[in-house]
Amino acid sequence: MVEAKSQEVRQWMQKAEHDLLAAAHVLGLDEPLTDIAVYHCQQAAEKALKAFLVEHDAPFGKTHDLDELVAQCATIAADFSRLSEAAAILTPFAVAFRYPTGQPDPPVSEAWEAVEMARTVVSIVVARLVSAAD
């Protein structure tokens, strides 16, 4: 049972890492895809937070709300509360640019800031995971 949970945590983290790689990749194109990048940043943070919750047997619903996930993680480890600002910034990227709205895509500088925020979330989760060390 412990091994199955460790494997699930690793799978969540692998998906988070892949989202981070995808975000950086599409920003490095000749014509950066900032809408796609910020979406993957939100996804990376979401998957990392969910990995932490899985490791701690904390059920979570189907949500893209990083504020909610950070708050839930903070009940387990208080230092997660420092991710509140990143959560508030990244959460709207789950849907803001996925569909045509007439809204302009975010500027490249904002997309790179989103990458840095997502990397911070992922690195904090990795530092707190026991399963990542397995």
Side-chain angles (χ1 to χ4, degrees):
M1 184 67 124
V2 171
E3 178 56 35
K5 182 168 68 172
S6 293
Q7 182 168 345
E8 183 180 359
V9 170
R10 283 192 297 272
Q11 289 172 343
W12 277 104
M13 290 307 299
Q14 183 180 42
K15 292 292 186 183
E17 293 289 343
H18 287 179
D19 278 314
L20 279 176
L21 289 170
H25 177 75
V26 298
L27 286 177
L29 299 174
D30 288 340
E31 293 186 32
L33 303 175
T34 60
D35 58 331
I36 302 300
V38 297
Y39 167 73
H40 282 290
C41 290
Q42 185 282 336
Q43 287 289 289
E46 178 182 326
K47 291 167 186 165
L49 294 167
K50 287 179 176 180
F52 182 79
L53 294 172
V54 166
E55 182 170 84
H56 291 276
D57 298 316
F60 51 87
K62 291 186 176 191
T63 184
H64 299 299
D65 187 340
L66 301 182
D67 296 308
E68 182 181 316
L69 294 170
V70 164
Q72 193 173 354
C73 290
T75 66
I76 299 164
D79 62 330
F80 274 84
S81 61
R82 66 184 161 155
L83 297 175
S84 294
E85 182 181 350
I89 292 168
L90 293 173
T91 292
F93 297 150
V95 295
F97 301 104
R98 288 179 64 194
Y99 305 101
T101 61
Q103 178 178 343
D105 290 345
V108 172
S109 61
E110 185 178 324
W112 278 115
E113 287 174 16
V115 169
E116 288 308 312
M117 282 184 254
R119 283 180 178 153
T120 297
V121 172
V122 170
S123 67
I124 286 171
V125 169
V126 166
R128 303 288 275 142
L129 287 176
V130 174
S131 297
D134 292 349

